[in-house]
Amino acid sequence: MADVSHARGDLAGHPDVPEMRERYARLLGGRDVALVDGPLFLVGLYCALSPWILHFSRTQPSLAAHNLIMGIAIAVLALGFTNTPSRMYGLSWAMCLMGIWMIVTPWVVGSGADKGIIWSNVVIGALVFLFGLVCAAAAMKSGAMRGGGRGRRLGPAEGPRVGTTEGK
């Protein structure tokens, strides 16, 4: 019979420890904006639901549809930053633009919006803009937007030579 006792030794001597550490570091390596994902998702959710929370879905139907669409887009961006942050870094500046657009929306899309609608959109826009700046700063810090960093592909002079007998 096999020994199935629960008294196991330390994993420090296991041959796969370096590979497991590298994988763990790689998985957490793109999480520079971990604290932005949740709040950004909540801002997007509030933006999508704000026409019904502030009761302007009937008085401002075009602004209500706009906030619904923009809120869904912001929430989807937040989910993208959660799932694949290293691939989503390029959209951090788009988030800044979305924030600016949300600030000016009551005057561009709406017609005669009251102060509650204006303040709601200005706060949503400011938060989205700030979260976009945080994501852009993290992208610049990690070098993901400049072509360096984790997602960079090797050029022909840097990569291994396939089909050659060099080094054998």
Side-chain angles (χ1 to χ4, degrees), residues 5-90:
S5 67
H6 294 289
R8 298 193 180 187
D10 188 20
L11 284 177
H14 196 276
D16 292 334
V17 167
E19 180 184 342
M20 289 187 290
R21 285 186 180 150
E22 178 187 336
R23 178 186 286 170
Y24 184 73
R26 194 177 39 206
L27 286 174
L28 292 180
R31 301 294 300 153
D32 298 339
V33 292
L35 296 176
V36 174
D37 307 345
L40 184 63
F41 180 78
L42 292 176
V43 168
L45 190 63
Y46 173 75
C47 182
L49 297 176
S50 65
W52 294 276
I53 293 172
L54 298 176
H55 305 291
F56 67 89
S57 59
R58 289 188 180 159
T59 60
Q60 300 279 336
S62 59
L63 191 59
H66 174 270
N67 278 17
L68 177 65
I69 293 168
M70 287 296 287
I72 291 171
I74 292 167
V76 167
L77 274 175
L79 290 175
F81 274 107
T82 301
N83 292 333
T84 55
S86 60
R87 293 184 181 189
M88 296 293 290
Y89 275 142

Side-chain angles (χ1 to χ4, degrees), residues 92-124:
S92 56
W93 289 111
M95 234 181 358
C96 291
L97 293 175
M98 289 171 70
I100 293 170
W101 174 248
M102 284 302 297
I103 291 172
V104 300
T105 296
W107 296 281
V108 176
V109 177
S111 59
D114 65 355
K115 288 182 182 182
I117 297 169
I118 293 170
W119 274 107
S120 176
N121 275 22
V122 167
V123 169
I124 290 170

Side-chain angles (χ1 to χ4, degrees), residues 152-165:
R152 193 170 74 93
R153 292 193 174 131
L154 295 176
E158 299 171 309
R161 295 185 182 177
V162 180
T164 62
T165 57

